[in-house]
């Protein structure tokens, strides 16, 4: 079979489940200016990569001197202003039909997500308010413990959901928000999968069978449970989560993680969540910070080509590149 992978890529829906946008943005105004300049460039890269949907992660886990709720509001204001000022290229979406309309209009559809529940403190009312502001997904933790649950880096104890965390999951189900279990402990992940009435996702993670010994690379029992509950597991591009030796962190290794997840979960439960970071990519970090062959978002067509090269049927490629996440979000946010 001969297929023009680039042409095929430009036609299908391509969804990136995790993209850092406002990480440490309020740290320094000088830095912020740099970022504000970088965003426009990045949107061009996103479009060059044929990516239709990006889930924008707002992170407040690193303490910058602001209370997390204030920091989240400040970051949201920056991101929403950025979206407004680039309205020809990007649009904030809160429903599936808006995502499909954005694709038609050749704009990037941006979904708002928190990476860590810190901004809601211990108040479900704050969760509801952020929903009103457009939030449609939330990662319950980043690496560390918060009021909702333990993060995966708290490996010594590996606690799961708090009592408040259980009420947060229920409220997210009720509101129609996607519950993201990336970065949680395995115990926390399993508790959410048991409790949640809607399917959950791992927006950016790796597969333990391919990369043993990394806290972001999960065992088959976790993958199986996510699939059983109708969820989607999204493979990340973070080199150290994909390979113990940075030299071996290549596009081909990334596809190995996808392959194993598909083998364990079935093709309806695997997606992609790059975790590209516009600041870091502009600040000249060393080469081992990037996945070779998939360094930036404009290389996304290489993923489609690599899946076709590994003999995935075109229908399966469509699912992995975006349709699985579209279906999940449709079930949850409507
Ligand atoms: Zn992350």
């Amino acid at each position: 079979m001969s297929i023009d992978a680039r042409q095929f890529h430009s036609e299908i829906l391509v969804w990136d489940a995790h993209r850092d946008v406002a990480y440490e943005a309020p740290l320094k105004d000088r830095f912020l200016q740099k970022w504000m300049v970088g965003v426009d460039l990045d949107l061009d890269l996103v479009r060059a990569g044929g990516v239709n949907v990006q889930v924008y992660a707002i992170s407040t886990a690193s303490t910058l001197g602001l209370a997390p709720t204030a920091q989240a509001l400040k970051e949201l204001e920056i991101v929403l202003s950025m979206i407004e000022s680039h309205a020809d290229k990007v649009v904030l979406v809160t429903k599936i039909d808006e995502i499909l309309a954005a694709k038609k209009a050749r704009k990037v559809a941006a979904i708002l997500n928190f990476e860590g529940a810190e901004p809601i403190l211990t108040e479900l009312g704050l969760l509801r308010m952020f929903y009103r502001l457009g939030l449609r997904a939330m990662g319950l933790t980043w690496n560390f413990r918060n009021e909702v649950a333990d993060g995966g880096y708290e490996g010594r104890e590996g606690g799961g959901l708090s009592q408040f965390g259980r009420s947060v999951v229920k409220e997210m189900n009720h509101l129609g928000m996607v519950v993201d279990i990336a970065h949680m402990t395995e115990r926390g992940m399993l508790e959410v999968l048991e409790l949640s009435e809607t399917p959950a996702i791992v927006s950016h993670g790796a597969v333990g069978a391919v990369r043993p010994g990394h806290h972001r690379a999960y065992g088959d029992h976790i993958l199986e449970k996510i699939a059983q509950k109708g969820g989607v597991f999204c493979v990340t591009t973070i080199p150290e989560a994909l390979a113990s030796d940075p030299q071996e962190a290549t596009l081909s290794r990334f596809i190995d993680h996808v392959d194993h997840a598909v083998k364990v979960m079935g093709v309806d439960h695997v997606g992609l969540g790059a975790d590209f970071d516009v600041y870091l990519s502009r600040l000249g970090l060393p080469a081992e910070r990037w996945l070779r062959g998939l360094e930036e978002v404009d290389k996304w067509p290489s993923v489609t080509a690599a899946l076709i090269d590994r003999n995935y049927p075109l229908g399966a490629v469509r699912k992995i590149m975006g349709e699985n996440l579209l279906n999940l979000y449709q079930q949850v946010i409507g």
Side-chain angles (χ1 to χ4, degrees):
M1 179 187 59
S2 129
I3 166 95
D4 181 343
R6 188 165 270 277
Q7 177 64 30
F8 178 68
H9 181 84
S10 71
E11 290 162 9
I12 63 178
L13 180 82
V14 179
W15 190 309
D16 178 357
H18 192 84
R19 162 71 205 288
D20 287 332
V21 282
Y23 184 68
E24 292 186 353
L27 188 58
K28 287 180 192 163
D29 284 342
R30 184 172 56 82
F31 192 21
L32 187 59
Q33 290 303 319
K34 192 164 188 152
W35 174 71
M36 293 296 276
V37 172
V39 165
D40 194 14
L41 286 171
D42 191 64
L43 281 167
D44 288 340
L45 279 186
V46 173
R47 298 209 300 182
V51 177
N52 306 111
V53 186
Q54 285 202 308
V55 181
Y56 281 2
I58 311 285
S59 169
T60 59
S62 52
T63 49
L64 307 176
L66 286 176
T69 311
Q71 188 180 325
L73 287 168
K74 180 168 176 169
E75 292 185 15
L76 275 173
E77 199 284 320
I78 295 165
V79 171
L80 293 173
S81 301
M82 180 276 285
I83 291 172
E84 268 175 32
S85 60
H86 298 282
D88 56 328
K89 294 177 184 169
V90 59
V91 59
L92 176 70
V93 296
T94 56
K95 294 190 184 89
I96 291 299
D97 55 1
E98 293 168 347
I99 292 170
L100 301 175
K103 177 167 167 53
K104 248 188 201 149
R106 303 173 59 80
K107 292 181 187 181
V108 178
I111 298 172
L112 293 178
N113 166 60
F114 281 161
E115 183 163 24
E118 283 80 357
I120 68 168
L121 308 176
T122 53
E123 293 289 338
L124 293 180
L126 288 176
L127 179 66
R128 289 190 282 269
M129 188 61 213
F130 284 118
Y131 178 88
R132 287 179 193 270
L133 291 174
L135 200 75
R136 287 297 177 273
M138 185 166 76
L140 299 185
T141 71
W142 188 53
N143 283 333
F144 305 110
R145 175 176 301 149
N146 62 23
E147 297 286 356
V148 167
D150 272 9
Y153 215 64
E154 306 277 2
R156 303 176 305 281
E157 295 150 49
L161 283 170
S162 66
Q163 232 10 72
F164 174 64
R166 297 180 70 83
S167 61
V168 169
V169 172
K170 289 283 183 196
E171 188 65 13
M172 290 176 76
N173 289 165
H174 173 71
L175 288 167
M177 288 177 71
V178 172
V179 182
D180 184 355
I181 57 176
H183 281 288
M184 293 184 80
T185 61
E186 290 199 353
R187 178 174 160 189
M189 291 172 134
L190 292 170
E191 286 178 359
V192 173
L193 291 166
E194 213 41 68
L195 179 69
S196 180
E197 286 159 21
T198 58
I201 68 167
V202 170
S203 63
H204 55 310
V207 168
V210 182
R211 196 315 192 190
H214 191 275
H215 75 283
R216 303 283 310 286
Y218 304 105
D220 288 354
H221 64 293
I222 300 283
L223 304 184
E224 281 162 7
K225 190 78 180 176
I226 293 168
Q228 270 170 29
K229 293 285 179 169
V232 176
F233 181 83
C234 304
V235 177
T236 183
T237 65
I238 300 169
E240 60 268 27
L242 297 178
S244 51
D245 177 356
Q247 293 301 317
E248 291 171 6
T250 59
L251 174 60
S252 172
R253 180 62 59 91
F254 174 80
I255 302 293
D256 292 344
H257 283 252
V258 173
D259 267 345
H260 188 87
V262 169
K263 203 168 81 192
V264 173
M265 306 177 78
V267 76
D268 294 332
H269 301 284
V270 180
L272 309 172
D275 206 4
F276 290 129
D277 187 321
V278 67
Y279 314 112
L280 299 181
S281 65
R282 307 275 180 262
L283 290 176
L285 286 195
E288 57 267 23
R289 177 64 181 75
W290 317 117
L291 184 65
R292 280 192 292 134
L294 188 55
E295 293 85 354
E296 254 289 10
V297 66
D298 60 333
K299 301 279 184 71
W300 223 223
S302 309
V303 180
T304 295
L307 290 171
I308 292 172
D309 276 354
R310 294 234 188 155
N311 295 317
Y312 276 87
L314 296 184
V317 178
R318 280 179 191 275
K319 288 179 177 185
I320 295 166
M321 295 304 296
E323 276 181 6
N324 288 338
L325 284 165
L326 181 75
N327 288 338
L328 183 140
Y329 267 78
Q330 186 146 36
Q331 286 174 61
V332 178
I333 73 172

